[in-house]
Amino acid sequence: MEQSSSCLIFLLIFCSSLSLVNSQEDSCENQISGLGFNFDTTSLKCFPVWDVQNFILRFTKASTDKWYFVLSYPYGINSWAAIGFSSDGKMVGSSALAVWVARPGVGGTQPYYLGGTSENEVDPNGSKLTFHNRSFKSIGTSRVYLSFVLETSAPEPYLLYAIGPKGSFPSQDNPTLSKHIDKVSTTMDYDKGTTSKSLTLKLKRSHGVLNIAGWSILMIIGAIIARHCKQWDPIWFYLHASIQTIGFVTGIVGILCGLALRKKISGSVTNHKNIGILIFVLGVLQVIALVLRPGKESKIRKYWNWYHRCLGCILIAFAVVNTLYGLHLGGEGSKWFAGYGTAVALLVIIAVILEIRKWMISKRSSPQHQVEHPIIPVPSHIPPLSSGSQSLVCPPWLKFLLAME
């Protein structure tokens, strides 16, 4: 009897533990009706909207002009989180609702109007939307649930999500919102109940990846081949020309994505765009230089080599700087900076190692470092060497001379 009771208690504890784990991790299979929200949550549609940060959105249409929303995110972000509604996918001009939990059960919510990209343009009193019955629930130190009622016939089709820097918590007395460190934009079809990443985000990522691969990575690899692989002539030239051509074409496609993206985003990117135009011009000049390359015996070949190398180095330098600046403007997280920085650093290390090797080979092959064998004069009284059955007698000094030969 006691053994059966022990097994029953263990089973109950085990089931409770599983339930607790599920509630901590959260998924669209979990029911949240027992968390005590201000409205009925049994009919909410559920969508994972930000996989990287594990954001889950639940919503339903309660009436012709009333919508229920519940946003769930990990407590461990240790900062504020926000959901915004935009008509065009842009952060500027949207209305958002932020929530923060400094410690379990202690936090707040605040609507904002995003009038610009700086902190003083984020107005805590200018939201164009009214978020009724807003509240938050924290499940220990695992999940935070933000609930609110939106009174509108049709919510905006673009939903924005963002998180702030670690340890950043607004307050009711000082609701200033620090600049986000990561964000994502999605589109929502409320009638069909489908969600997807917005075209703006796809264009932004395509613009960044193509330009990084074309103007930075491939151009650097092509330059390294031209500098250190000339012993494999003419393979090095065709490889160098092919890689640089692929990089040039990839970079142009990246620029076209950037021009399309410029029409869909707000904010000033003039400097980034101007540097991109300069990089494009330098790339065109390199292509023209390749077409007009003089022959090896030409007197101006030396000056052409100087021009081609210097222009290539300037192009790569501007490409690296503009890439870092573009990642900053795009608000990309540290993972993008770390990934790009690691790739460039690795290529630079390879280039430095090859440069040191080239210098050492050049130093060993220079005339002043070559060993000069002393010339030993042969005395005129060397006796002739006889042949036949008599063995040849070779003086020691002659053996040395023959060895030197």
Side-chain angles (χ1 to χ4, degrees), residues 225-399:
I225 291 174
R227 175 69 174 167
H228 300 286
C229 299
K230 289 185 177 179
Q231 63 269 31
W232 296 298
D233 192 41
I235 296 177
W236 76 266
F237 173 76
Y238 295 116
L239 193 58
H240 167 72
S242 299
I243 291 177
Q244 301 301 69
T245 301
I246 295 173
F248 179 73
V249 173
T250 303
I252 290 179
V253 177
I255 290 177
L256 294 177
C257 290
L259 294 176
L261 178 65
R262 182 66 187 93
K263 299 177 181 179
K264 297 179 177 295
I265 62 174
S266 57
S268 176
V269 293
T270 303
N271 294 332
H272 181 62
K273 182 183 70 174
N274 291 340
I275 298 175
I277 293 174
L278 174 61
I279 293 171
F280 171 73
V281 172
L282 293 175
V284 171
L285 291 176
Q286 287 288 67
V287 173
I288 295 175
L290 182 63
V291 174
L292 301 179
R293 184 172 65 112
K296 293 183 179 180
E297 305 300 327
S298 175
K299 294 182 180 180
I300 63 172
R301 179 60 179 263
K302 176 177 66 174
Y303 303 104
W304 181 90
N305 287 336
W306 292 347
Y307 163 83
H308 186 58
R309 292 170 185 170
C310 292
L311 209 64
C313 292
I314 294 173
L315 186 154
I316 292 173
F318 274 111
V320 173
V321 171
N322 207 33
T323 297
L324 294 173
Y325 184 44
L327 292 176
H328 168 72
L329 289 176
E332 297 295 350
S334 57
K335 292 181 180 179
W336 280 78
F337 284 95
Y340 177 68
T342 300
V344 173
L346 182 61
L347 291 174
V348 170
I349 291 172
I350 293 174
V352 170
I353 293 175
L354 292 175
E355 197 66 34
I356 294 174
R357 177 179 175 273
K358 186 181 182 70
W359 174 77
M360 293 177 64
I361 294 175
S362 176
K363 185 177 180 181
R364 284 198 302 264
S365 61
S366 60
Q368 59 269 29
H369 289 87
Q370 292 181 354
V371 179
E372 297 182 357
H373 301 300
I375 300 177
I376 303 176
V378 180
S380 59
H381 59 278
I382 297 178
L385 299 176
S386 59
S387 59
S389 59
Q390 186 178 2
S391 61
L392 297 177
V393 179
C394 185
W397 63 267
L398 185 56
K399 292 181 179 180

Side-chain angles (χ1 to χ4, degrees), residues 108-155:
T109 64
Q110 179 65 46
Y112 293 89
Y113 175 72
L114 308 180
T117 56
S118 60
E119 291 184 8
N120 57 1
E121 293 177 303
V122 179
D123 187 2
N125 300 311
S127 174
K128 307 301 181 182
L129 298 175
T130 302
F131 301 94
H132 296 287
N133 295 336
R134 63 180 192 267
S135 65
F136 67 90
K137 307 285 184 182
S138 59
I139 309 303
T141 57
S142 58
R143 301 290 296 185
V144 176
Y145 292 84
L146 169 67
S147 63
F148 59 93
V149 178
L150 194 62
E151 291 188 358
T152 178
S153 58

